[in-house]
């Protein structure tokens, strides 16, 4: 994955969605709550610039 901050590449804030084998472990490391949605268990964190990273494990 390549994330760019070059002017004109993309407008922010943005979202990155990552699929992982164990969202509960990642959520614990991030201090985030896990939510059950129809397609996965997922958590989300936001950086100081408003960019979001959502991490999920398929159900």
């Amino acid at each position: 994955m390549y994330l760019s901050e070059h002017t004109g590449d993309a407008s922010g804030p943005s979202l990155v969605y990552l699929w992982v084998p164990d969202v509960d472990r990642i959520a614990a490391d991030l201090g985030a709550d896990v939510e059950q949605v129809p397609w996965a268990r997922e958590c989300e964190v936001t950086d100081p610039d408003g960019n979001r990273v959502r991490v999920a494990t398929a159900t």
Side-chain angles (χ1 to χ4, degrees):
M1 177 189 322
Y2 177 78
L3 302 176
S4 174
E5 292 182 349
H6 294 284
T7 302
D9 278 357
S11 61
S14 45
L15 169 71
V16 174
Y17 200 102
L18 304 171
W19 293 97
V20 298
D22 187 357
V23 70
D24 295 290
R25 182 174 155 214
I26 301 296
D29 289 345
L30 297 173
D33 294 326
V34 176
E35 179 182 350
Q36 181 68 50
V37 294
W39 56 90
R41 290 178 46 76
E42 63 183 26
C43 69
E44 181 176 298
V45 294
T46 304
D47 75 9
D49 293 321
N51 299 297
R52 297 175 296 146
V53 176
R54 193 172 296 157
V55 182
T57 298
T59 51

